[in-house]
Amino acid sequence: MQVWPGHAYPLGANYDGAGTNFAVFSEAAERVEVCLLHEDGSETAVELRESDGFVRHAYLPGVLPGQRYGFRAHGPYTPENGRRCNSAKLLLDPYAKAISGSVDWNEAVFGYHFDDPERRNDLDSAPHTMTSVVINPYFDWGDDRPPRTDYHRTVLYEAHVKGLTMLHPQLPDELRGTYAALAHPAVIAHLTQLGVTALELMPVHQSVTDHRLAEAGLSNYWGYNTIGFFAPHNAYASWGERGQQVQEFKHAVRALHEAGIEVILDVVYNHTAEGNHLGPTLSFRGLDNASYYRLADDRRYYLDTTGTGNSLLMRSPHVLQLIMDSLRYWVLEMHVDGFRFDLAATLARQFHEVDRLSSFFDLVQQDPVVSQVKLIAEPWDLGEGGYQVGNFPPLWTEWNGRYRDTVRDLWRGEPRAMAEFGFRLTGSSDLYQDDGRRPLASINFVTCHDGFTLHDLVSYNDKHNEANGEDNRDGESYNRSWNCGAEGPTDDASVVALRRRQKRNLIATLMLSQGVPMLSHGDEFGRTQHGNNNAYCQDGPLAWVRWPGDGAPTDWSGAPDQALCDFVRAMVWLRRDHPVFRRRRFFHGRPMEGTHDELSDVAWFTPQGAEMTQRDWQAAHTRSLTVFLNGNAISEPGERGERITDDSFLLLFNAHHEPVDFVIPVNHGREWEVVVDTAQEETYVQGGGPKVAAGAQLPLESRSMAVLQRPV
């Protein structure tokens, strides 16, 4: 075999049409081999003799796409010094663009079986681990263009590739649960009809099911256990796993873009699937343990702020390069439109504390590619001082956990929730205004993959995670949920009616709040996990989305609720059609300059029609409120550049446990039309709702809300 010197950059395996250049970083290893794997189980090892800045490299003519390979790192195995080289391990390429196979949990993959240097070369891990694959980088993108939807027009939809599509009745069996399913017209039609503008995919980077779950017959369904930051997860591919998964993912992105839907990836750069010091050696640990991971003072163990066993070393230039190269690859080569960063506070830990000005954020800020896409932080981790909602740099938006908590508290009837609710409804200026950000920095959500579904939020007081095999100890115990009078399924008609009303309340509040709304997949159909609030290991009907007409057995999760889906769709489109619900600037609480309208841009009233006082805001019993949103005070251009005027609404919230008669405020409009009443199954968004005059009373059912529009 010919071996040419090749190049140190780009890292990974890169095919150029005639051969493949291999490059891998390792400062710890004394020598590194690239091993080409053959179908008969044999391998050809080629030493990477050239080295530039500890990047070992070689060019191998004739190595084509589809070739499986791995690395072997020869060097010291001294865990007490942070070094864990082991030539018995066939290591994944940290820059692998595709990965084949899965981990066979044979003892050969574990690190701790080789603490004895006499034994560490006894077993070859190659038959028991995954392998890297050389890919063909060429793809016909046609005239693909990123939708570049502005944040103020964005509606996020968080979904799992498999969970969203596995039960869809219009999909062929061979496509269900795959990237190709995302590109199917039936799936895209649902998203577009719902009004979704961005699909936020739960992790699609190559992940691993850890040994404990595999032994229990479970899997790491959510995928927050990454081992390949460049490779699409091979289990979601219908066409094959020798590089075909890359082509299939690109095809899905192109199809979604054609429908005007952005693709945002949930990415996990805070840790890897190698776990703690007892975990498997799959890639990074065997190549250069101390350069990739945060090690404890004794160097044998790991510092962990993620709850997974390890944390990546965010002050290492090689880790930062890996992350930035990965992000740019997914934007430039895979055409994704943004990222949601899991446990993003960990990315800010250069040392122990969270540093808002850490190197990672500096790199993102100045990067001409990554800085131009949507960047969403999950602004917390499990370490000390890890809750950082409101503290990320101006370029970033954040999952607003305080929005979720406050809205849940309001509708379940917690005292003294109203004052904070006022901030959350209007874009959380207390969190984002001081550093120059706008309401669109707040990603508003009531539910997400982690926790109760929307249906379960109003059906359970307590978590029911017994199926996870951890004696119900896993998952959050404080969910701010309320079962409306019965735990779980019930035939009580009054409880069922209240739950349906509460779901409509939560959806309407979400869609009419300032900021960027995010739906969790299946919530539009009332998806249930039967009280499981931590379905990370449930790859089955419990966690999959039910669709109308899916023919699933009745003992699976609850039947899909088409009426709720229709309501969600109406709320999304009400938001889309009226800019007053998606302002790009915070309210000022006074008339807008440059307009002839003397009314304030926002006003707050008691149910009696009087303006709210500080005492009203702070009263423990306050659970009802009227909000005036002045559409005539919007200084932003409309869809075609024209200024939108006279688009005003009243929002009436009654979170009280009894009906309340609301007095319509005077001096803000002579007549109003009810367009939404969550006490009713139907909406009047298309017209035909009851009319009510200023000063008149409008009765609202207990725990309900109404939306009134001032006729133009």
Side-chain angles (χ1 to χ4, degrees):
M1 172 179 286
Q2 293 187 54
V3 181
W4 299 354
H7 303 282
Y9 191 85
L11 281 83
N14 292 278
Y15 171 70
D16 64 3
T20 302
N21 189 81
F22 293 91
V24 63
F25 162 76
S26 178
E27 186 174 354
E30 294 166 353
R31 62 189 183 93
V32 177
E33 296 171 318
V34 59
C35 300
L36 306 180
L37 306 179
H38 308 301
E39 298 305 320
D40 62 3
S42 63
E43 65 180 59
T44 300
V46 177
E47 184 174 352
L48 304 179
R49 296 182 179 276
E50 300 293 327
S51 178
D52 295 295
F54 299 108
V55 175
R56 322 300 176 96
H57 55 90
Y59 180 88
L60 304 184
V63 173
L64 305 177
Q67 174 66 58
R68 294 183 302 130
Y69 70 98
F71 294 116
R72 295 191 185 275
H74 300 260
Y77 183 81
T78 54
E80 66 276 9
N81 295 321
R83 296 178 178 178
R84 293 179 178 266
C85 294
N86 183 354
S87 59
K89 305 290 187 180
L90 183 72
L91 303 173
L92 289 171
D93 180 358
Y95 279 72
K97 307 300 193 304
I99 292 175
S100 176
S102 59
V103 173
D104 172 11
W105 286 104
N106 181 282
E107 65 175 354
V109 302
F110 282 99
Y112 66 82
H113 285 279
F114 303 118
D115 283 347
D116 181 358
E118 299 292 327
R119 293 195 58 214
R120 66 189 180 94
N121 291 316
D122 286 352
L123 295 171
D124 182 355
S125 69
H128 308 283
T129 191
M130 301 177 288
T131 56
S132 307
V133 179
V134 177
I135 71 159
N136 184 345
Y138 305 109
F139 180 79
D140 182 8
W141 283 103
D143 59 356
D144 180 69
R145 294 290 185 274
R148 295 194 181 279
T149 306
D150 292 336
Y151 265 122
H152 74 287
R153 295 190 177 97
T154 294
V155 176
L156 294 164
Y157 186 87
E158 186 195 32
H160 187 282
V161 172
K162 187 173 185 180
L164 176 65
T165 64
M166 196 63 188
L167 296 179
H168 200 296
Q170 298 180 41
L171 299 184
D173 289 345
E174 64 272 16
L175 294 188
R176 295 185 181 192
T178 69
Y179 302 121
L182 298 178
H184 193 278
V187 173
I188 290 179
H190 174 71
L191 297 176
T192 54
Q193 290 168 11
L194 197 61
V196 169
T197 69
L199 186 62
E200 184 178 303
L201 292 175
M202 291 173 65
V204 299
H205 288 172
Q206 184 68 50
S207 62
V208 175
T209 289
D210 59 78
H211 187 223
R212 179 187 66 81
L213 291 176
E215 279 192 326
L218 301 170
S219 69
N220 195 302
Y221 167 67
W222 283 353
Y224 291 93
N225 206 31
T226 305
I227 196 61
F229 295 109
F230 294 78
H233 188 58
N234 56 25
Y236 302 151
S238 64
W239 303 348
E241 60 171 23
R242 296 291 184 89
Q244 295 95 333
Q245 61 264 52
V246 179
Q247 302 291 313
E248 186 174 334
F249 182 87
K250 290 178 177 179
H251 172 71
V253 172
R254 186 178 64 189
L256 288 161
H257 281 182
E258 288 176 357
I261 299 173
E262 295 182 305
V263 178
I264 295 174
L265 302 187
D266 193 336
V267 289
V268 190
Y269 292 114
N270 51 73
H271 74 281
T272 79
E274 292 186 305
N276 63 17
H277 64 290
L278 300 179
T281 297
L282 301 173
S283 179
F284 309 91
R285 174 178 288 149
L287 285 168
D288 199 322
N289 186 52
S291 290
Y292 282 111
Y293 293 117
R294 291 171 58 94
L295 301 181
D297 291 340
D298 63 6
R299 311 289 285 173
R300 180 184 292 272
Y301 303 104
Y302 296 89
L303 293 177
D304 176 23
T305 58
T306 67
T308 61
N310 66 59
S311 300
L312 285 173
L313 183 63
M314 293 307 298
R315 65 176 181 270
S316 165
H318 305 288
V319 170
L320 292 171
Q321 180 185 15
L322 172 79
I323 296 174
M324 295 306 298
D325 284 348
S326 170
L327 292 171
R328 280 191 294 269
Y329 173 79
W330 285 95
V331 174
L332 295 175
E333 298 299 325
M334 308 295 265
H335 286 207
V336 304
D337 304 283
F339 306 94
R340 179 266 188 188
F341 292 80
D342 178 66
L343 300 182
T346 290
L347 303 178
R349 293 183 184 273
Q350 280 189 271
F351 298 96
H352 172 72
E353 69 284 351
V354 175
D355 179 3
R356 185 179 175 187
L357 300 178
S358 69
S359 298
F360 172 69
F361 296 111
D362 290 342
L363 290 172
V364 169
Q365 180 73 37
Q366 59 80 40
D367 190 276
V369 174
V370 180
S371 65
Q372 299 306 303
V373 300
K374 287 184 168 69
L375 301 172
I376 304 171
E378 181 186 36
W380 51 77
D381 66 11
L382 301 184
E384 182 180 351
Y387 193 76
Q388 293 291 317
V389 173
N391 291 332
F392 274 69
L395 188 65
W396 292 68
T397 61
E398 301 175 11
W399 270 27
N400 190 343
R402 289 182 63 178
Y403 178 92
R404 171 201 59 204
D405 295 346
T406 302
V407 171
R408 290 184 178 191
D409 278 349
L410 175 79
W411 285 113
R412 71 191 181 112
E414 284 296 290
R416 294 186 174 85
M418 192 59 77
E420 184 162 359
F421 176 69
F423 281 113
R424 305 302 151 242
L425 180 71
T426 54
S428 297
S429 60
D430 58 328
L431 299 177
Y432 304 115
Q433 191 169 30
D434 288 347
D435 59 8
R437 286 190 282 178
R438 296 183 177 183
L440 305 170
S442 178
I443 304 298
N444 298 331
F445 66 105
V446 176
T447 60
C448 64
H449 70 274
D450 189 3
F452 283 142
T453 65
L454 178 67
H455 176 83
D456 291 355
L457 184 66
V458 300
S459 304
Y460 294 90
N461 285 346
D462 304 305
K463 63 184 180 181
H464 297 270
N465 298 353
E466 290 79 9
N468 296 353
E470 300 179 45
D471 297 324
N472 208 33
R473 294 189 301 267
D474 63 304
E476 176 60 57
S477 297
Y478 183 51
N479 294 282
R480 301 176 191 263
S481 62
W482 179 46
N483 64 20
C484 297
E487 188 73 357
T490 180
D491 294 327
D492 188 320
S494 62
V495 172
V496 172
L498 176 56
R499 288 176 178 175
R500 295 181 65 82
R501 194 158 68 246
Q502 287 285 69
K503 285 184 278 190
R504 292 193 291 269
N505 290 334
L506 291 164
I507 289 295
T509 303
L510 174 65
M511 287 301 154
L512 303 182
S513 296
Q514 305 299 323
V516 181
M518 184 185 76
L519 291 165
S520 180
H521 70 182
D523 273 352
E524 71 271 30
F525 291 125
R527 184 174 74 89
T528 179
Q529 294 176 168
H530 300 295
N532 191 317
N533 73 351
N534 190 33
Y536 76 103
C537 57
Q538 298 296 326
D539 186 3
L542 182 72
W544 297 343
V545 174
R546 291 285 311 276
W547 294 84
D550 60 17
T554 56
D555 60 349
W556 282 13
S557 59
D561 184 346
Q562 185 61 57
L564 178 61
C565 184
D566 293 340
F567 181 84
V568 174
R569 182 184 299 117
M571 291 301 97
V572 173
W573 287 85
L574 179 65
R575 175 187 181 85
R576 188 207 68 166
D577 290 342
H578 299 285
V580 73
F581 297 124
R582 44 185 178 83
R583 291 169 55 97
R584 286 179 283 184
R585 295 173 177 83
F586 287 110
F587 290 105
H588 297 284
R590 61 178 184 272
M592 277 295 295
E593 296 180 5
T595 71
H596 299 292
D597 196 332
E598 297 180 354
L599 297 177
S600 174
D601 55 4
V602 64
W604 312 85
F605 302 92
T606 68
Q608 294 75 36
E611 290 197 23
M612 290 279 286
T613 65
Q614 189 64 30
R615 185 173 181 178
D616 293 325
W617 283 112
Q618 299 300 330
H621 64 271
T622 300
R623 293 185 176 88
S624 302
L625 173 73
T626 295
V627 186
F628 168 69
L629 303 179
N630 190 351
N632 199 34
I634 298 177
S635 60
E636 304 157 22
E639 300 290 335
R640 296 178 177 81
E642 76 276 12
R643 191 167 163 276
I644 303 296
T645 61
D646 211 5
D647 190 38
S648 301
F649 286 83
L650 289 175
L651 306 182
L652 281 57
F653 297 91
N654 180 26
H656 193 51
H657 64 274
E658 293 180 345
V660 172
D661 290 333
F662 279 71
V663 175
I664 304 302
V666 297
N667 301 325
H668 287 75
R670 289 178 296 179
E671 185 179 63
W672 298 83
E673 180 180 359
V674 177
V675 295
V676 177
D677 181 354
T678 61
Q680 308 297 323
E681 289 283 348
E682 72 277 4
T683 65
Y684 308 102
V685 171
Q686 302 303 321
K691 305 291 195 303
V692 59
Q697 286 191 346
L698 180 67
L700 254 65
E701 179 61 85
S702 62
R703 293 192 170 93
S704 70
M705 66 174 288
V707 180
L708 281 62
Q709 184 176 13
R710 188 170 67 190
V712 177

